[in-house]
């Protein structure tokens, strides 16, 4: 399980790195084209926003698995180890529930988008909305992996 | 509306205090509102709100400025900036304390984040200061206080966020941050000098003009970074997002081909790290999309504007109150969360009473940053205290004179809009 978890983190990390590289490359290309060739690509902004949306929602799973999300921890720092562990398990449960809710909500939205296209590309508009269900699956998986990890550690400690 | 707001903010704050990730706390608050006040928010609006939150190309600027700072940092810029600062100020009593502040000022032009500034400068300056006999508490306090300059001098992540939420020019905000950012450094240097004289902190030997020249030459490429950002924006060469990308490309060229300290492997690590750091901020912005929709739908901004307008119409007083709210918010929450929650609510009030949004942006960032250095959370203090192996409450005590100096500056910025507006008016009108 730990190995699978590490593979997931590594793959997602690489995807996020690629997204950053692609976004930066496109923006620099846009400036270069404008000043060197007096031309610009109309789809750069749209594509960059799509990449940014995918990066953000895919990043949710990495943030959860590496515990690197932004959180307020001034109270949790005062809790006993046992209470902190219980809270962490509850949070994993909440993450799985939220992931389920997001999946349901995005399915409802996606079903209404058939035939709609982006402004600058002949691509289905749903490409902007798919990061939400995919990110939700990632969050649910991350919550589940984290939960298994914690429960197994607790079992080993007991 | 009171009941609706209580549910929205109550659920969010309860989960935030319990330590839930901020985006999850916001999502839970939104879920509670959607279910509790059904059918105020149609299901379609939920996903649309999430997408709309991030459906703006300018948010990519946050990623690009993160990238520029990280590349510069990985490419050995920190050592060069410290050498430059040491050559300038090292020979004054309390030299390393001043060097710390000057380094942060210069580093602010490369990075736009407090934590990046504190960890980069602190990792080198705190051990160096301790070696020269400065107490660890004081070293951590100076580093924490000076790191707050980072998000005021352009490029600045909080100013990008403010500009996008307040729908005001980010370029103007960047230019408006220059004078207050330099003043922050000056105020901190004065405080540092007074403390150093009183405690008889040591000075290092004057390095000579040759070393000053070499140190300046070594740092000049880094010093050009804020210039590229400002000239790019003021000259209308590119949008703020494109300027961010160009700054990242510049950092890459300098670090890889001129300093030759950035390998391809390290660059890849930096890209991955920036991906995570970007997601960390952008997921809050995404989830806040629905939050802002709900607040807008409730007309909170207008109600707040009417209510405050009934009490006072004095823009200075209202800006002062807003700064106080942001300062208190900064004591408990990180800057991104504070901006996402409070700025969309405050902007209609500010606009209604005639507060200049550019001035408000600079005041809001500084007020919020002051909160970062104060108990109970004071994230930057925790980071620097850990680097200095010092007790957090001792660092909080030591940082007070510096925060006092910055508070005086905040009051001046509120009373005198010219501090923030003079330069943008001069260069951009």
């Amino acid at each position: 399980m730990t190995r699978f978890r590490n593979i997931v983190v590594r793959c997602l990390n690489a995807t996020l790195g690629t997204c950053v590289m692609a976004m930066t490359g496109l923006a620099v290309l846009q400036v270069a084209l404008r000043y060197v060739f007096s031309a610009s690509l109309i789809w750069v902004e749209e594509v960059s926003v799509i990449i940014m949306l995918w990066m953000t929602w895919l990043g949710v799973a990495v943030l959860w698995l590496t515990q690197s999300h932004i959180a307020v921890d001034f109270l949790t720092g005062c809790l006993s180890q046992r209470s902190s562990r219980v809270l962490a398990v509850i949070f994993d449960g909440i993450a799985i529930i939220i992931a389920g809710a997001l999946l349901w909500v995005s399915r409802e939205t996606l079903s209404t988008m058939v035939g709609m296209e982006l402004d600058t590309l002949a691509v289905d508009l749903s490409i902007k909305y798919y990061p939400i269900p995919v990110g939700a699956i990632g969050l649910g998986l991350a919550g589940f992996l984290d939960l298994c990890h914690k429960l197994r550690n607790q079992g080993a400690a007991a | 509306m009171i009941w609706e707001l209580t549910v929205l903010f109550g659920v969010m704050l309860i989960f935030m205090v319990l330590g839930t990730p901020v985006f999850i706390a916001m999502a839970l608050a939104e879920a509670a509102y959607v279910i509790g006040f059904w059918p105020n928010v149609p299901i379609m609006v939920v996903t649309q709100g999430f997408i709309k939150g991030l459906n703006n190309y300018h948010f990519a600027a946050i990623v690009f400025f993160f990238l520029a700072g990280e590349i510069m940092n990985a490419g050995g810029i920190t050592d060069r900036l410290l050498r430059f600062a040491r050559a300038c100020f090292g020979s004054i009593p309390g030299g390393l304390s001043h060097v710390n502040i000057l380094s942060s000022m210069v580093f602010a032009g490369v990075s736009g984040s407090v934590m990046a500034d504190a960890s980069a400068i602190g990792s080198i300056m705190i051990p160096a200061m301790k070696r020269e006999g400065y107490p660890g508490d004081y070293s951590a306090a100076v580093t924490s206080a000076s790191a707050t300059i980072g998000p005021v001098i352009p490029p600045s992540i909080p100013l990008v966020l403010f500009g996008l939420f307040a729908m005001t020019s980010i370029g103007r905000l960047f230019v408006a941050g220059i004078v207050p950012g330099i003043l922050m450094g000056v105020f901190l240097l004065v405080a540092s000098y007074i403390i150093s004289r009183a405690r008889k902190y040591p000075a290092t030997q004057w390095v000579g003009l040759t070393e000053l020249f070499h140190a300046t030459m070594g740092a000049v490429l880094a010093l050009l970074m804020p210039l590229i950002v400002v000239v790019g924006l003021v000259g209308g060469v590119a949008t703020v997002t494109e300027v961010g990308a160009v700054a990242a490309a510049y950092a890459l060229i300098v670090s890889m081909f001129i300093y030759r300290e950035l390998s391809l492997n390290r660059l890849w690590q930096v890209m991955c790290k920036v991906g995570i750091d970007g997601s960390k901020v952008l997921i809050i912005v995404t989830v806040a999309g629905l939050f802002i929709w709900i607040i807008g739908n409730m007309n909170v901004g207008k109600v707040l504007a009417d209510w405050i307008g009934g009490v006072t119409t004095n823009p200075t007083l209202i800006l002062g109150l807003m700064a106080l709210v942001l300062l208190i918010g900064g004591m408990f929450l990180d800057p991104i969360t504070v901006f996402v929650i409070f700025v969309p609510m405050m902007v209609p009030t500010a606009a209604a009473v005639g507060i200049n949004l550019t001035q408000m942006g600079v005041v809001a960032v500084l007020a919020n940053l002051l909160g970062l250095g104060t108990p109970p959370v004071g994230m930057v203090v925790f980071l620097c205290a850990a680097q200095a192996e010092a007790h957090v409450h001792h660092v909080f005590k030591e940082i007070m004179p510096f925060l006092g100096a910055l508070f005086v500056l905040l009051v001046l910025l509120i009373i005198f809009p010219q501090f923030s507006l003079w330069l943008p008016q001069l260069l951009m009108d």
Side-chain angles (χ1 to χ4, degrees):
Chain A
M1 192 71 94
T2 312
R3 208 170 147 215
F4 176 64
R5 187 188 153 105
N6 290 342
I7 291 170
V8 170
V9 171
R10 219 176 298 162
C11 289
L12 287 174
N13 252 338
T15 314
L16 299 187
T18 312
C19 288
V20 171
M21 204 155 58
M23 280 163 63
T24 316
L26 282 174
V28 174
L29 178 73
Q30 181 77 323
V31 178
L33 282 176
R34 193 185 313 137
Y35 285 100
V36 180
F37 300 105
S38 300
S40 57
L41 305 167
I42 52 162
W43 46 263
V44 163
E45 292 196 6
E46 192 108 61
V47 170
S48 296
V49 168
I50 293 168
I51 296 173
M52 190 163 60
L53 283 165
W54 279 95
M55 186 189 89
T56 304
W57 282 97
L58 288 175
V60 170
V62 189
L63 293 178
W64 198 269
L65 288 171
T66 55
Q67 299 293 304
S68 46
H69 34 57
I70 296 175
V72 178
D73 55 2
F74 66 90
L75 187 76
T76 46
C78 311
L79 293 176
S80 67
Q81 263 195 336
R82 195 182 134 76
S83 311
S84 298
R85 270 203 302 265
V86 171
L87 261 183
V89 167
I90 293 172
F91 292 164
D92 283 329
I94 289 175
I96 295 168
I97 293 168
I98 287 189
L102 275 174
L103 262 179
W104 177 73
V105 168
S106 44
R107 204 197 68 169
E108 293 286 307
T109 313
L110 282 166
S111 64
T112 64
M113 283 188 181
V114 183
M116 294 163 87
E117 286 190 349
L118 292 171
D119 294 336
T120 58
L121 295 167
V123 176
D124 205 274
L125 181 66
S126 57
I127 195 170
K128 266 191 180 176
Y129 286 80
Y130 269 113
I132 301 180
V134 173
I137 292 170
L139 178 64
L141 179 69
F144 176 73
L145 287 173
D146 219 36
L147 193 63
C148 292
H149 183 71
K150 278 173 194 144
L151 292 176
R152 209 175 51 179
N153 280 359
Q154 269 179 4
Chain B
M1 191 174 79
I2 296 290
W3 178 232
E4 291 171 320
L5 279 177
T6 310
V7 169
L8 196 64
F9 282 92
V11 171
M12 184 177 68
L13 287 177
I14 287 170
F15 279 99
M16 270 188 195
V17 169
L18 283 173
T20 324
V22 171
F23 77 93
I24 293 281
M26 287 180 113
L28 286 170
E30 290 161 358
Y33 182 86
V34 171
I35 295 166
F37 299 98
W38 181 261
N40 277 7
V41 185
I43 288 297
M44 282 284 288
V45 171
V46 176
T47 36
Q48 279 171 0
F50 286 163
I51 296 299
K52 201 171 168 245
L54 205 57
N55 195 15
N56 186 337
Y57 181 48
H58 291 320
F59 280 116
I62 294 173
V63 178
F64 298 151
F65 286 127
F66 269 139
L67 183 61
E70 285 291 336
I71 291 177
M72 275 295 203
N73 199 16
I77 195 66
T78 317
D79 293 331
R80 287 173 173 82
L81 291 181
L82 287 175
R83 185 181 166 198
F84 167 69
R86 194 186 274 259
C88 289
F89 278 161
S91 58
I92 301 171
L96 282 189
S97 177
H98 315 319
V99 168
N100 194 328
I101 295 164
L102 186 66
S103 306
S104 289
M105 279 175 79
V106 183
F107 199 79
V110 177
S111 142
S113 141
V114 180
M115 301 309 267
D117 195 343
S119 65
I121 301 289
S123 62
I124 297 173
M125 277 312 296
I126 291 174
M129 285 178 78
K130 282 175 80 176
R131 268 199 306 276
E132 300 241 350
Y134 292 82
D137 313 334
Y138 179 78
S139 313
V142 177
T143 311
S144 312
S146 60
T148 58
I149 303 172
V152 180
I153 291 179
S156 156
I157 309 287
L159 282 178
V160 172
L161 274 178
F162 182 90
L164 289 170
F165 286 129
M167 283 184 277
T168 189
S169 160
I170 297 168
R172 276 191 95 83
L173 284 167
F174 274 14
V175 176
I178 295 173
V179 172
I182 292 170
L183 284 175
M184 280 174 84
V186 172
F187 275 58
L188 290 177
L189 281 169
V190 170
S192 156
Y193 182 75
I194 294 169
I195 295 170
S196 301
R197 288 291 290 220
R199 295 184 185 173
K200 298 189 169 47
Y201 286 148
T204 50
Q205 211 179 355
W206 162 241
V207 290
L209 280 173
T210 318
E211 168 59 13
L212 179 62
F213 175 76
H214 287 303
T216 310
M217 284 296 109
V220 79
L221 290 171
L223 296 170
L224 279 177
M225 176 89 110
L227 206 66
I228 290 171
V229 172
V230 172
V231 170
L233 290 172
V234 173
V237 177
T239 63
V240 67
T241 318
E242 290 168 348
V243 165
V246 170
Y250 172 79
L252 180 71
I253 292 166
V254 170
S255 305
M256 219 165 192
F257 302 110
I258 299 174
Y259 292 162
R260 293 170 184 271
E261 287 192 28
L262 185 68
S263 63
L264 275 176
N265 192 26
R266 183 80 185 94
L267 177 65
W268 176 241
Q269 287 170 2
V270 165
M271 292 276 182
C272 295
K273 183 179 183 299
V274 170
I276 294 177
D277 288 345
S279 305
K280 212 185 282 187
V281 175
L282 295 177
I283 191 63
I284 295 177
V285 175
T286 305
V287 178
L290 180 60
F291 199 84
I292 293 166
W293 187 92
I294 292 171
I295 285 175
N297 204 38
M298 279 196 267
N299 245 338
V300 175
K302 192 180 175 306
V303 173
L304 201 66
D306 290 345
W307 180 74
I308 292 176
V311 179
T312 176
T313 50
N314 183 336
T316 310
L317 194 62
I318 292 172
L319 187 58
L321 283 173
M322 287 174 174
L324 191 67
V325 170
L326 291 166
L327 196 153
I328 294 168
M331 287 177 176
F332 298 93
L333 304 169
D334 80 290
I336 309 294
T337 315
V338 173
F339 270 56
V340 164
I341 295 171
F342 291 111
V343 169
M345 282 198 289
M346 288 176 169
V347 166
T349 310
V353 297
I355 295 170
N356 187 301
L357 290 181
T358 307
Q359 182 202 5
M360 185 189 167
V362 177
V363 168
V365 171
L366 179 54
N368 190 231
L369 292 173
L370 278 177
L372 271 185
T374 47
V377 180
M379 281 184 291
V380 70
V381 174
F382 278 90
L383 173 75
C384 294
Q387 285 175 327
E389 293 168 351
H391 288 293
V392 173
H393 58 277
H394 290 162
V395 182
F396 275 130
K397 207 172 135 193
E398 286 285 347
I399 202 176
M400 284 307 156
F402 296 106
L403 292 185
L406 293 179
F407 188 78
V408 171
L409 177 62
L410 176 66
V411 174
L412 290 175
L413 289 179
I414 293 169
I415 298 173
F416 303 107
Q418 292 82 356
F419 280 122
S420 347
L421 301 181
W422 169 73
L423 199 57
Q425 280 167 356
L426 183 76
L427 296 176
M428 300 176 93
D429 287 343

